[in-house]
Amino acid sequence: MRLLLVEDEARLAASLVRGLRADGVVVEVAEDGPTGLRLARELDFDVIVLDLMLPHMSGFRVCQELRRANVWTPILVLTAKTGEFDEIESLDSGADDFLTKPFSYSVLLARLRVLLRRDVNERPVVLEADDLRLDPATKSCARAGVDIALSAREFSLLEYFLRNANRVLSKDEILDHVWDPDFDGSPNIVEVYVGYLRRKIDRPFSTNSIVTVPRSGYLFQCGA
Amino acid sequence: MRLLLVEDEARLAASLVRGLRADGVVVEVAEDGPTGLRLARELDFDVIVLDLMLPHMSGFRVCQELRRANVWTPILVLTAKTGEFDEIESLDSGADDFLTKPFSYSVLLARLRVLLRRDVNERPVVLEADDLRLDPATKSCARAGVDIALSAREFSLLEYFLRNANRVLSKDEILDHVWDPDFDGSPNIVEVYVGYLRRKIDRPFSTNSIVTVPRSGYLFQCGA
DNA sequence: CAGGACTCTCAGCGCCCTCTCAGGGCGTTG
DNA sequence: CAACGCCCTGAGAGGGCGCTGAGAGTCCTG
């Protein structure tokens, strides 16, 4: 773990560095605001510990400047003041947490653990098949970079195809998964909607993703 | 924003609920550990405020059980004790932050803002989407530098949209997060307020941030 | 007490989505 | 070759769904 400590009090800094290094943390120290800002922008840290009272430039400023420069490294602010005003202001200026001096080393460590625990949820569950993209989160669809407007039913159907690509799906199967369970119309509706889809995602691009398998159903093919 | 408050002291709970609701937060209250645990597991909250001293089950246990059950909602622990031991133990048992009683309401709010910002991919304090800016701390809103006056409800709704940008939100989902839990009107209210927002943040600027996704809900889109 | 801001309800309207239906093409089967 | 089954598609009905204006109720403020 790489940590940047921005702290001008030599004694405190030295003792923190000793403790952190003993715990296997890679520590860099900056002794004033501008230096801290520069290091934070130029190097890649996992977390920043920032004192509020600094020579030349306050911790507030450093914090704000960093966020403004689009640096989102977690910041833990240290403050000797006890007023809640500072507290609120640090948090609102972009800090992730703060600690009031004096504090114990173990508390600092526990806080750092929390800050580092954020495993940012990877999300993009985008369905892709060749040049076709389907995003369930935004209900959007595009082929070869061209946006395609789909109705709700069309989207559900295409989503089902993509999730079962390269597999023959019978009309009844499709009916079960894409239409309401209590739908009692004829399977012809599937043919109708397959037709709609082909007109939107195949014909304009001269592709042939949705293949009819006579007497069996349909097949969405990709990755050929 | 949906918040779960687990607190058995009625006076404190009531005053927090009043304050939070006035700020547009949707609050549910649990008065003991097991109830809190159950609600937290069954419902979808944005943040949990948890007292340590609780009937039937301590805050520690609640916290641990939740994390064990794979519920990662941010948790802010309230504690009356002053020893740092509790502090470390809460943080290590899965809490994201803690606050020692007595505390001021504004500090609580600031901490909550931090937790929420963290939850949704490390967001700055001010919510931004293209040229739209929303500041939860001051309840102010501006597009392209022009200030826009929003009512409390409109603000909550827009804030929810911004925190879930580029994702389709169903009307029920919106109802759950922006309106009180005991609201039992029809989802039409969402359409009405979306209409209000569009008149204020889209029409005057010829933009189209809030998109209707028929039969699915609404989508706030930005950064396209 | 009047006026205004805000929240919510309700009903009307219009669009487009969904689904039905029937006719035609095509391959298969007798 | 005729008959049949299977698939495709255009036309069109109906209704669900979303949007909006009007207005009632409430609270706050001057």
Side-chain angles (χ1 to χ4, degrees), chain A residues 87 95-96 104 111 118 137, chain B residues 84 87 98 107 117-118 168:
Chain A
E87 185 168 318
D96 293 275
S104 80
R111 300 285 199 124
R118 357 212 145 294
Chain B
E84 71 179 49
E87 186 167 318
F98 76 96
V107 167
R117 161 173 99 223
R118 214 178 253 174
V168 174

Side-chain angles (χ1 to χ4, degrees), chain B residues 187-220:
Chain B
N188 169 256
I189 190 67
V190 177
E191 300 164 14
V192 174
Y193 270 86
V194 164
Y196 293 160
L197 274 186
R198 280 174 169 156
R199 267 170 252 181
K200 290 187 173 183
I201 69 160
D202 272 339
R203 279 235 247 301
F205 303 89
S206 303
T207 55
N208 189 27
S209 324
I210 307 180
V211 183
T212 304
V213 182
R215 281 149 226 264
S216 291
Y218 295 97
L219 168 69
F220 184 92

Side-chain angles (χ1 to χ4, degrees), chain A residues 190-205:
Chain A
V190 177
E191 300 165 14
V192 174
Y193 270 86
V194 165
Y196 293 160
L197 275 187
R198 294 213 254 232
R199 266 171 255 181
K200 290 187 174 183
I201 69 161
D202 272 339
R203 279 236 248 299
F205 303 88

